[in-house]
Amino acid sequence: MTLTALNTAATPTHSFPIRVYYEDTDAGGIVYYANYLKFAERARTEMLRDAGFHHTAMMAGDGIMMAVRRVSAEYLKPARLDDALDVTTSVKGLGAATIELDQSIQRGGQELCRVAVTIACVGRDGRPARLPATLRQALSTQIQS
């Protein structure tokens, strides 16, 4: 199977809800800093899935994988046990083999954490690979300035 999916109904900013569970927190009931990156990863995966691009299909059909090349996080306020969070993801730019995304983790509209991430497209051999044309086309319509 090759990449052919294109969801033209995709919105420029993808939103993904997450609940904070006990396993996400430290002894004080505050989300452990590394778990914000896990929340962001889940949201990125679901953004791609909602656009019609599944990691298993990309690997099986085209031998393409997505790997984090660079990430930075700014922690603004703590999330706590049982909080209902929303992770928004916006496409900021596309390179030959990369996708640049901005993500925001919020609680009730209040920003708790900002994440900037560059995702690299790599082949089975781990070397950089061009973004598939269908993925590029789907994401290019979503670029936020």
Side-chain angles (χ1 to χ4, degrees):
M1 174 187 283
T2 60
L3 296 176
T4 57
L6 173 61
N7 181 355
T8 56
T11 58
T13 300
H14 183 269
S15 182
F16 182 69
I18 291 181
R19 172 81 56 190
V20 176
Y21 296 115
Y22 186 76
E23 67 187 31
D24 300 320
T25 64
D26 61 17
I30 294 176
V31 171
Y32 183 66
Y33 79 96
N35 288 329
Y36 290 94
L37 298 178
K38 290 181 181 183
F39 299 160
E41 176 72 30
R42 289 180 202 151
R44 288 193 303 273
T45 297
E46 292 304 322
M47 179 197 71
L48 288 172
R49 184 185 309 278
D50 288 350
F53 299 94
H54 303 258
H55 287 294
T56 53
M58 288 190 284
M59 183 59 186
D62 295 301
I64 299 297
M65 298 177 286
M66 299 290 170
V68 172
R69 181 170 185 263
R70 179 180 317 127
V71 66
S72 68
E74 184 176 1
Y75 303 97
L76 306 169
K77 296 183 186 245
R80 300 178 187 279
L81 180 63
D82 289 329
D83 280 353
L85 306 178
D86 187 55
V87 184
T88 58
T89 304
S90 300
V91 179
K92 297 308 283 181
L94 300 172
T98 59
I99 304 167
E100 294 179 25
L101 301 167
D102 281 344
Q103 296 184 277
S104 175
I105 301 172
Q106 303 172 15
R107 176 186 54 229
Q110 182 178 48
E111 190 170 43
L112 307 178
C113 182
R114 284 184 206 130
V115 178
V117 64
T118 301
I119 305 297
C121 187
V122 296
R124 285 186 177 100
D125 59 2
R127 298 178 74 183
R130 287 193 155 298
L131 290 173
T134 52
L135 179 58
R136 175 176 294 287
Q137 180 183 2
L139 295 179
S140 67
T141 64
Q142 307 303 313
I143 295 176
Q144 299 275 304
S145 56

